[in-house]
Amino acid sequence: MAAPLPDTERLLDALVTQMKPATGPETGIVGIYTGGAWVAERLHRALGVKTPLGQLAVTLHRDDYGRIGLHREARRSHLPFEVEGRDIVLVDDVLHTGRTIRAALNELWDYGRPARVRLAVLADRGGRELPVAPDFTGAFVEVEAGEELVLTNENERLRLAAVRRPA
Amino acid sequence: MSPSLQVDSQGRLVHLLTTEGLSAEMIRHILDTAAQFVSVNEREVKKVPLLRGKSIFNVFFENSTRTRTTFEIAAKRLSADVINLNIGASSTAKGETLLDTVWNLQAMDADMFVVRHAEAGAPHLIARHVKPGVHVVNAGDGRHAHPTQGLLDMYTIRHYKKDFAGLTVAIVGDVLHSRVARSQIHALTTLGVPDLRVVGPKTLLPKDIERLGVRVFHDVTEGLRGCDVVITLRLQNERMSGPLIPSAGEFNKTYGLSPEKLAFAKPDAIVMHPGPINRGVEIDSGVADGSHSVIMPQVTFGIAVRMAVMAILAGNA
């Protein structure tokens, strides 16, 4: 049995504490849909960043398109600022294989060439399949085989939970 | 022509041959996917890697530079390799030669065929004979269907009017010879447009068209009254003189969309045309270039809609 999950608000607080000294008003905060965008919104508010919040949809750069096809995705990337030359923090809820981050970087580069990109994740569950490492981490979370970490958002209340993956 | 040829047993789109029989859900899936590609086309880098390594053959037995170009751009923005073949309008291109052509191209590892043919049903015939995993897109067959045009028109209407539920839509002109009109009618009725009209002289409207769920108007001001969307159709050059209409000028006087006639539609009506337009025949310049016209956005959305169709098909191997 894995240890109980830490409280999501405390993970958010931990991220803010790490990021506060490392970001400025010009930093671009970019959340990956869906969970990452929720986390990014909270961080953006807490950090008082001036640059408007961005979102990335990674569907068009996923590497499993050949296997699962194109699924319905109404969300689109929205980067309401100049990407070229900007310091960017990419935000996701759960870091696992690293494939989503690879796709997100490709998507981001379609908009320009940032000066630097760092990665913030609410939870790192290990299991990397690509050379990807977070710069800011809410917590390292152990998850049992067959389980998935899922972030939910109920009326602005974020909650991270381990759920059994459907067989 | 079985419309189910284009949807597999799991409900996935494997060919796009006609809008007839496509579910509202599937049409919305295509339009939603196209919305993503509209945003790709507005970026610095207008290219995504979805179809990298795939070969798409544009096989045009009937010439059409515009349509072929839009498919070509769409395929290239998806990173596919595009091969254009203009086989020309050989009226003798019967079943056998057509399939031989396709089998040869298939032997060159084609992943998708975009087919235009003067004969209705040619893309269906090809779809029935290609290997599993090879997809066919109908880019216009005879008078039958032009589904990507129909879908890009749906995209355009949804973009400007948001919802199909309360709309009054009129399709004006040569409906009889128009594969575009057929594709639009099937899609518009499926999406639940409550008042769909066709407007034109008896000679240019198919008999029994009411069966498709449209209202017929011969009087243009009555037909346009209260419309949210006015779709004008191209009057083909070869039909401008002959038994169907007295003359192009006479047709323009009676059915050509002028600012005066458009005034009967709603003040915020949009005007569409599948192109290429005949100025002064089915549409006056004052309307084509006017504030109601969304003809150029149709062209732009057409790229995204074709990208969506090809990306969905290629993903359903």
Side-chain angles (χ1 to χ4, degrees):
Chain A
M1 186 68 196
L5 284 176
D7 179 64
T8 308
E9 287 300 320
R10 291 186 45 198
L11 298 181
L12 284 163
D13 289 344
L15 272 182
V16 171
T17 309
Q18 291 168 49
M19 289 171 71
K20 198 129 210 172
T23 53
E26 299 299 326
T27 305
I29 306 283
V30 178
I32 300 171
Y33 282 122
T34 319
W38 297 333
V39 177
E41 206 229 321
R42 292 286 302 270
L43 296 177
H44 187 265
R45 218 185 308 151
L47 293 167
V49 172
K50 217 179 67 196
T51 311
L53 181 65
Q55 289 93 19
L56 281 181
V58 302
T59 333
L60 301 179
H61 284 283
R62 287 177 64 112
D63 61 7
D64 51 5
Y65 161 73
R67 279 190 291 136
I68 64 170
L70 200 58
H71 284 241
R72 193 169 193 154
E73 170 68 89
R75 294 177 295 258
R76 295 178 235 173
S77 293
H78 179 61
L79 296 169
F81 50 79
E82 183 75 50
V83 170
E84 193 74 27
R86 190 173 299 276
D87 183 34
I88 285 176
V89 178
L90 205 53
V91 181
D92 207 356
D93 48 0
V94 179
L95 180 60
H96 185 204
T97 63
R99 287 174 193 268
T100 302
I101 305 305
R102 198 278 309 160
L105 289 171
N106 279 114
E107 175 83 6
L108 187 59
W109 252 256
D110 287 349
Y111 288 84
R113 181 180 183 272
R116 171 170 66 166
V117 180
R118 288 174 291 174
L119 176 62
V121 296
L122 196 61
D124 179 355
R125 60 164 291 184
R128 220 77 78 234
E129 293 167 4
L130 291 173
V132 170
D135 300 275
F136 312 103
T137 311
F140 191 88
V141 176
E142 273 184 54
V143 181
E144 283 190 63
E147 277 189 341
E148 238 174 317
L149 283 179
V150 175
L151 187 69
T152 52
N153 183 352
E154 268 176 48
N155 308 319
E156 305 277 297
R157 256 202 90 69
L158 300 186
R159 205 175 82 84
L160 192 67
V163 297
R164 192 140 281 281
R165 200 177 299 146
Chain B
M1 282 173 220
S2 145
S4 64
L5 183 59
Q6 58 189 355
V7 177
D8 71 7
S9 55
Q10 295 161 61
R12 304 181 313 165
L13 195 69
V14 287
H15 305 293
L16 180 67
L17 304 173
T18 168
T19 53
E20 185 178 5
L22 272 192
S23 66
E25 172 71 7
M26 180 63 77
I27 294 175
R28 279 195 287 265
H29 174 40
I30 294 169
L31 302 188
D32 289 348
T33 305
Q36 277 181 276
F37 290 123
V38 166
S39 72
V40 168
N41 289 333
E42 289 163 356
R43 293 179 194 178
E44 191 71 24
V45 178
K46 296 175 180 57
K47 205 163 178 122
V48 291
L50 290 178
L51 266 60
R52 211 157 52 119
K54 303 276 185 202
S55 299
I56 297 184
F57 283 69
N58 281 331
V59 194
F60 278 56
F61 293 90
E62 182 187 87
N63 255 328
S64 168
T65 315
R66 285 165 47 108
T67 303
R68 204 209 62 215
T69 306
T70 58
F71 272 105
E72 184 175 348
I73 293 170
K76 284 180 170 168
R77 291 196 181 158
L78 292 168
S79 305
D81 294 314
V82 186
I83 299 94
N84 289 314
L85 291 158
N86 288 319
I87 297 177
S90 158
S91 56
T92 57
K94 293 273 161 52
E96 215 175 14
T97 38
L98 175 66
L99 288 177
D100 274 333
T101 307
V102 168
W103 283 325
N104 272 283
L105 298 174
Q106 195 170 257
M108 299 176 204
D109 289 327
D111 296 291
M112 194 179 298
F113 292 108
V114 176
V115 181
R116 168 163 290 197
H117 202 289
E119 305 252 348
H124 295 67
L125 180 68
I126 295 170
R128 232 176 264 123
H129 288 91
V130 291
K131 287 188 291 198
V134 177
H135 310 283
V136 177
V137 180
N138 181 359
D141 63 328
R143 296 182 190 177
H144 172 242
H146 192 355
T148 57
Q149 177 72 44
L151 291 169
L152 79 87
D153 293 331
M154 298 311 110
Y155 189 96
T156 307
I157 293 171
R158 192 173 78 163
H159 177 85
Y160 288 101
K161 297 294 170 191
K162 308 302 171 209
D163 193 10
F164 293 89
L167 292 186
T168 301
V169 179
I171 303 174
V172 186
D174 183 4
V175 177
L176 179 63
H177 302 97
S178 177
R179 54 193 171 203
V180 172
R182 274 172 196 70
S183 291
Q184 290 165 340
I185 291 168
H186 291 306
L188 287 166
T189 49
T190 302
L191 292 170
V193 166
D195 188 356
L196 178 55
R197 310 167 175 184
V198 294
V199 184
K202 254 196 192 93
T203 49
L204 293 180
L205 298 181
K207 238 180 100 206
D208 298 332
I209 190 157
E210 294 92 338
R211 283 195 202 156
L212 296 181
V214 302
R215 296 206 287 150
V216 173
F217 290 80
H218 300 301
D219 181 314
V220 74
T221 56
E222 281 312 306
L224 293 180
R225 198 181 295 280
C227 277
D228 300 283
V229 178
V230 181
I231 301 172
T232 48
L233 296 173
R234 179 176 165 78
L235 186 68
Q236 306 289 341
N237 295 332
E238 62 268 28
R239 316 212 208 281
M240 289 192 193
S241 57
L244 297 178
I245 57 165
S247 69
E250 197 59 36
F251 179 82
N252 177 260
K253 215 185 287 169
T254 322
Y255 291 104
L257 195 61
S258 61
E260 295 74 30
K261 293 188 194 107
L262 182 59
F264 286 91
K266 285 203 185 136
D268 65 346
I270 56 169
V271 173
M272 295 166 50
H273 189 298
I277 62 174
N278 290 308
R279 290 173 183 269
V281 182
E282 71 269 1
I283 188 164
D284 289 2
S285 282
V287 176
D289 307 328
S291 60
H292 297 269
S293 169
V294 296
I295 298 173
M296 289 303 116
Q298 280 179 274
V299 177
T300 306
F301 294 146
I303 306 273
V305 168
R306 288 176 176 123
M307 286 171 82
V309 168
M310 291 195 275
I312 290 169
L313 290 177
N316 294 340

